Amino acid sequence: MRESGDTPEPPRSAVKLVLHHYLTQLRLKWPVATPALFLPALGNICLFYIGPLLVASLVGRIAAGESGADTLLPYVLGFGAVLLLGEVIWRAGLHFINRIDARGMEDLGVIGMDELLAKDAAFFHDNFAGSLTKRVLGFSRSFEGFVDTLIFGIISKVLPLAFASVVLWQYHPVLVLVLVGLIVVTGFLAAPFIVRRQRLVNVREAAHVRVSGHVADVLSNMDTVRAFAAEDREAAETRVRLADLRTAQLRSWDYGNLRVDTVVAPMSVLTSTIGVWLAVVLHGGLGVEALMVTFTYYAQATGIMFEFNQVYRRLESTLTEAAQFTELLLEPPKVVDHPQAQALGVADAGVRFERVVFAHEGNPPLFDGLDLDVPPGTKIGLVGRSGGGKTTLTRLLLRLMDIQGGRILVGGQDISRMRQADLRSLIAYVPQEPAMFHRTLRENIAFARPGATEAEVMEAARAAHVTEFVEGLPMGFDTLVGERGVKLSGGQRQRVALARAILRDAPILLLDEATSALDSESEILVQEALWRLMRDRTALVVAHRLSTVVRMDRLVVLDRGEIAEQGSHAELLAAEGTYSRLWHHQSGGFLVEEEEAETVSSSPRSG
């Protein structure tokens, strides 16, 4: 499994994709985004530029010898009115900012989840669930940081600076030219250091992802950690990863403090000094009012200089975190619906594999020209040693993976030209390890058919003998089963999975070791329920315990991706071939592998 975050620096295309999504949200929500973007800047102009301008005018009047209340009072009242107006505009801006942040994060969360749901099964085998969770939540959450930085760090600084330039131009154009020139020079001097720091931030974010992925991996496998007394080992690994994160954080933070700010600080001091000097010497002095305005506006500009690093730091942090997710979107899903997908119109529930070629990535072909015909209503047992391709065959029928050659037909319709949702609506699937959601027992059963009535859910539960253990649960069917169903035993989880299949009521049934975790008594009961379920349905049943499939219409023996033989139980025993040897090698209901077949394959296939 690849650990999310191993790539220290997301490609620029991932960052561009983040910007595309974020700017699209602002464009689509322009009635809310427009006041959110610009009202705080107008509030700043009132509070920090027009207000000081009125005070400077008041001081200028006083310096000119004017002291009458009728002359000075309008400036005082105007100053108060401007400050009040600025506060009102600010609060209105925050009102719209809260809404653009909340709505944007909601929509981006939906987009992120939709993108993950569109990924194929192999993608989730290659990525930690914990890291994926952090990435998709970071993608939506970072929108708030992006918008806030854009508003408070850029627009709320640039627009007031433009206003200041207009005012200073009235006093003398040189004041504007020098101010803008010094800001530009500071930006050019700081840029190389800021770009260097970007790489350090990328390393920091990757280290953060590795920590979160490790923690999630350990917590989701806590029983295994305790069973192997590995608490100290896992704690030590966590300490190592946290130490790496601390080192990466300090490097990025110190670089900003000791490199970038050492360039900006002298330039900001120089800017303020030059501004005051110009106001004093230009044309023998521009007067008290101009001196105060110049000092105030230049001081505000130096604040902008100091925020170069902070603004860039916040932007790079939010975009880099979000790009950890969009990087996953650069590679499209391998299993997608055909552009001209056909409408569901299967004639029956027959299944046919025609000259199927399939290989797991990086491995030689498992199936190379496989042919298998399952007529409608036929019950097929798939047997053979591990690694033969039994489970892979069921996953190909579900189209969790795509074949590289040949075709798979359901009811005469090529599944590669069907919508995936339509194909899977025809199939009820019980995997080797039933997956449970951290929801109630009732919700886990109803997951197969959300529109099912309470009576239908209870009927499926009774048929799968779920009701036999429900009485022992604290809240019956309303009991939360825990993450991945940890509050239930393996046999109980299999019964819930069987109840789902019964409730699904699909014409094709895929059972992959569906009763392997049941005790003998429970298995007899559930087997009878399964036979009732399979009546008039097409069924493909994977089994290692051959006793569970002896009543099937036909048994197919798979060996290294090839059909070694097929026929009924009696026919295969009489043939004295592979199946006969497997049958005689069974002991206590388990298949005893021949010594030469006990090699554990490194490929992801299962059988």
Side-chain angles (χ1 to χ4, degrees):
M1 176 178 286
R2 181 179 73 248
E3 186 167 357
S4 298
D6 283 350
T7 302
E9 182 174 354
R12 290 188 177 183
S13 51
V15 176
K16 290 180 180 178
L17 188 54
V18 173
L19 285 171
H20 169 74
H21 280 291
Y22 285 3
L23 295 178
T24 297
Q25 288 297 313
L26 296 177
R27 178 175 56 82
L28 294 177
K29 298 173 175 60
W30 67 266
V32 177
T34 301
L37 290 172
F38 296 109
L39 286 181
L42 295 178
N44 274 354
I45 291 174
C46 290
L47 293 171
F48 304 114
Y49 290 86
I50 298 179
L53 182 61
L54 290 173
V55 171
S57 298
L58 176 63
V59 172
R61 295 290 185 182
I62 294 174
E66 299 181 22
S67 58
D70 56 339
T71 302
L72 303 181
L73 185 60
Y75 289 97
V76 176
L77 295 178
F79 175 73
V82 166
L83 293 186
L84 181 61
L85 177 62
E87 290 292 343
V88 171
I89 293 175
W90 246 96
R91 301 306 160 198
L94 290 176
H95 173 84
F96 286 103
I97 290 171
N98 291 339
R99 275 140 191 81
I100 191 66
D101 283 348
R103 295 176 187 176
M105 287 190 290
E106 177 188 8
D107 288 352
L108 289 166
V110 172
I111 290 171
M113 195 61 187
D114 287 345
E115 292 285 357
L116 288 181
L117 290 173
K119 292 292 186 181
D120 52 85
F123 171 83
F124 296 98
H125 296 163
D126 292 337
N127 291 278
F128 281 123
S131 290
L132 289 177
T133 301
K134 178 186 180 298
R135 288 182 179 215
V136 69
L137 293 179
F139 171 64
S140 60
R141 187 177 56 246
S142 293
F143 178 73
E144 179 184 10
F146 170 78
V147 170
D148 290 354
T149 303
L150 180 64
I151 294 172
F152 300 123
I154 299 177
I155 297 177
S156 291
K157 305 297 182 183
V158 173
L159 286 185
L161 181 62
F163 175 84
S165 298
V166 172
V167 174
L168 291 175
W169 190 276
Q170 306 304 314
Y171 293 120
H172 202 290
V174 172
L175 293 174
V176 178
L177 297 176
V178 171
L179 177 61
V180 175
L182 287 173
I183 291 176
V184 171
V185 169
T186 302
F188 273 111
L189 291 176
F193 296 98
I194 292 175
V195 171
R196 161 63 181 160
R197 189 173 175 277
Q198 170 69 55
R199 293 193 288 269
L200 296 177
V201 170
N202 291 337
V203 173
R204 183 192 71 202
E205 289 300 319
H208 196 282
V209 169
R210 284 194 291 271
V211 169
S212 63
H214 175 72
V215 171
D217 196 37
V218 172
L219 294 180
S220 62
N221 292 282
M222 188 55 71
D223 286 347
T224 303
V225 172
R226 296 197 186 285
F228 285 88
E231 292 93 341
D232 291 342
R233 187 167 69 245
E234 294 301 324
E237 175 64 19
T238 302
R239 286 193 292 271
V240 170
R241 296 189 182 216
L242 285 171
D244 291 341
L245 175 59
R246 180 201 65 217
T247 301
Q249 286 174 329
L250 288 175
R251 283 177 179 171
S252 65
W253 293 341
D254 288 346
Y255 195 89
N257 180 46
L258 301 177
R259 297 291 183 87
V260 181
D261 286 349
T262 54
V263 173
V264 174
M267 291 299 298
S268 65
V269 172
L270 180 64
T271 300
S272 294
T273 305
I274 291 177
V276 173
W277 180 74
L278 287 174
V280 171
V281 303
L282 284 174
H283 293 302
L286 298 177
V288 175
E289 178 181 338
L291 180 61
M292 287 193 63
V293 172
T294 301
F295 172 75
T296 302
Y297 287 5
Y298 267 63
Q300 293 291 342
T302 59
I304 295 175
M305 290 180 178
F306 266 114
E307 291 189 13
F308 276 162
N309 182 37
Q310 299 303 320
V311 169
Y312 191 86
R313 175 177 172 176
R314 289 194 295 268
L315 274 180
E316 69 184 358
S317 180
T318 55
L319 293 178
T320 300
E321 181 179 4
Q324 296 282 344
F325 175 74
T326 54
E327 181 182 6
L328 303 174
L329 309 184
L330 299 179
E331 184 177 347
K334 297 175 182 177
V335 180
V336 296
D337 288 335
H338 194 278
Q340 285 83 41
Q342 300 171 352
L344 185 62
V346 295
D348 51 51
V351 175
R352 180 169 178 78
F353 295 82
E354 291 185 351
R355 303 180 302 280
V356 169
V357 177
F358 175 77
H360 292 286
E361 188 172 355
N363 289 274
L366 173 61
F367 300 127
D368 191 4
L370 176 77
D371 283 300
L372 177 63
D373 185 27
V374 185
T378 303
K379 286 74 176 168
I380 295 291
L382 300 174
V383 301
R385 296 187 181 89
S386 296
K390 304 182 296 296
T391 294
T392 300
L393 205 63
T394 64
R395 293 174 67 82
L396 291 177
L397 179 56
L398 282 163
R399 210 180 162 215
L400 298 177
M401 306 176 288
D402 267 342
I403 57 178
Q404 285 91 46
R407 60 179 186 162
I408 302 174
L409 306 176
V410 171
Q413 196 168 353
D414 189 338
I415 66 170
S416 67
R417 291 185 166 272
M418 299 170 63
R419 291 179 62 249
Q420 296 175 67
D422 288 342
L423 167 66
R424 292 162 191 161
S425 70
L426 302 173
I427 301 172
Y429 177 51
V430 181
Q432 288 178 338
E433 299 181 4
M436 299 289 116
F437 296 94
H438 183 42
R439 303 172 189 174
T440 67
L441 185 61
R442 177 185 286 101
E443 289 173 320
N444 269 281
I445 297 174
F447 186 81
R449 188 152 57 92
T453 65
E454 178 72 9
E456 290 171 329
V457 172
M458 292 300 107
E459 182 180 353
R462 282 190 295 271
H465 299 276
V466 172
T467 51
E468 295 177 4
F469 68 82
V470 166
E471 294 179 358
L473 298 177
M475 300 181 65
F477 280 97
D478 293 320
T479 301
L480 291 172
V481 302
E483 186 177 6
R484 297 183 301 162
V486 295
K487 294 182 181 179
L488 303 180
S489 69
Q492 290 171 338
R493 288 196 295 271
Q494 281 200 324
R495 292 195 203 185
V496 174
L498 290 172
R500 281 180 184 165
I502 293 170
L503 184 64
R504 182 75 163 175
D505 194 25
I508 300 173
L509 196 60
L510 288 184
L511 305 177
D512 192 351
E513 292 290 340
T515 60
S516 60
L518 299 176
D519 57 70
S520 299
E521 182 178 352
S522 297
E523 184 176 7
I524 293 173
L525 295 174
V526 172
Q527 283 282 8
E528 291 305 317
L530 285 177
W531 278 106
R532 289 193 297 272
L533 175 64
M534 287 188 285
R535 188 178 300 126
D536 300 325
R537 287 180 171 85
T538 303
L540 283 79
V541 181
V542 175
H544 279 97
R545 286 190 286 185
L546 303 184
S547 59
T548 62
V549 291
V550 294
R551 296 165 59 188
M552 294 291 165
D553 298 325
R554 178 157 47 108
L555 302 177
V556 176
V557 183
L558 285 172
D559 188 13
R560 296 180 178 87
E562 296 182 352
I563 297 178
E565 54 185 349
Q566 55 182 314
S568 68
H569 171 69
E571 292 170 345
L572 294 179
L573 283 182
E576 298 184 349
T578 302
Y579 178 81
S580 179
R581 289 196 299 274
L582 294 177
W583 178 264
H584 292 299
H585 284 168
Q586 281 198 351
S587 175
F590 293 94
L591 184 63
V592 179
E593 302 285 0
E594 293 183 0
E595 187 173 329
E596 64 270 22
E598 290 183 346
T599 302
V600 178
S601 172
S602 61
S603 73
R605 60 175 173 250
S606 57

